[in-house]
Amino acid sequence: MSNESNKASFEGWKVLTVYFSHSGNTRECARQINRMVGGDLLELIPAQPYPQDYDTVVNQAKRELRTGHRPELKTKGTGVANYDVVFVGSPNWWNTVAPPVMTYLAGHDFGDKAIVPFITHEGTGLGQSARDIRDLCPGATVLEGLAIRGGEVNRAGQKLSDWLRKLGIAEAA
């Protein structure tokens, strides 16, 4: 379980960056965001790991999403009650967030929180992830999300920084 803490948070807000990463791309984006905005970092780890084989994981994800399956998480982490802003990261699986992210979102009360989605993908962008996050988190304010192509995550610093400034979350470097 990864549950790291970064000393600083911006403008007195308590920030949590929570993410699920299958290939490591979303993890890299989450770490970059955490370095820019501070706060806590929480990786969602399913109790039953996903297969590494691409076709197998794609078929499993499709089945889980079609049936509404919410996989159990090994990650316990802290609840969201003490946070003001929650960055939510996921790969785009079948045009939405991965089931482990859905499990986490459905299991917490995000009322009066600002949720900031970030999605890694290989050509599908944000898909309907922001809408699905809104549905899973009634009462939350879902801010404009960002989609980062998986092959570009290691060079995404400027894109992430520009996005955070546009949202008014981070000052110009």
Side-chain angles (χ1 to χ4, degrees):
M1 178 173 84
S2 172
N3 190 1
E4 303 169 23
S5 182
N6 187 341
K7 294 183 273 193
S9 63
F10 58 92
E11 299 184 27
W13 293 345
K14 293 280 291 171
V15 179
L16 173 64
T17 301
V18 61
Y19 67 95
F20 166 72
S21 188
H22 181 258
S23 67
N25 291 332
T26 309
R27 178 181 303 111
E28 177 57 28
C29 282
R31 288 178 176 168
Q32 289 182 50
I33 290 167
N34 182 253
R35 281 192 297 270
M36 292 177 191
V37 302
D40 296 329
L41 184 63
L42 178 66
E43 180 172 8
L44 302 176
I45 301 171
Q48 186 67 36
Y50 281 91
Q52 290 302 308
D53 175 70
Y54 178 79
D55 290 333
T56 306
V57 78
V58 164
N59 290 331
Q60 180 176 336
K62 183 177 188 178
R63 202 171 40 254
E64 288 180 356
L65 290 164
R66 186 178 58 241
T67 63
H69 176 72
R70 300 286 184 266
E72 182 182 342
L73 299 175
K74 271 198 319 194
T75 307
K76 298 305 174 204
T78 182
V80 297
N82 296 325
Y83 296 97
D84 304 300
V85 178
V86 181
F87 287 85
V88 175
S90 177
N92 181 327
W93 281 5
W94 293 100
N95 210 34
T96 190
V97 294
V101 174
M102 291 181 173
T103 297
Y104 183 81
L105 294 176
H108 291 85
D109 179 6
F110 287 87
D112 298 327
K113 307 291 177 204
I115 297 177
V116 190
F118 61 99
I119 304 296
T120 56
H121 67 96
E122 290 304 334
T124 52
L126 285 169
Q128 64 186 35
S129 57
R131 186 191 77 198
D132 291 343
I133 289 170
R134 261 187 223 96
D135 290 346
L136 287 163
C137 304
T141 300
V142 179
L143 302 179
E144 179 183 338
L146 181 67
I148 304 252
R149 189 175 287 273
E152 299 173 358
V153 296
N154 291 320
R155 302 179 309 278
Q158 189 61 52
K159 186 173 186 177
L160 289 166
S161 181
D162 291 347
W163 169 62
L164 294 169
R165 276 195 304 277
K166 179 180 177 185
L167 293 173
I169 292 173
E171 296 180 16

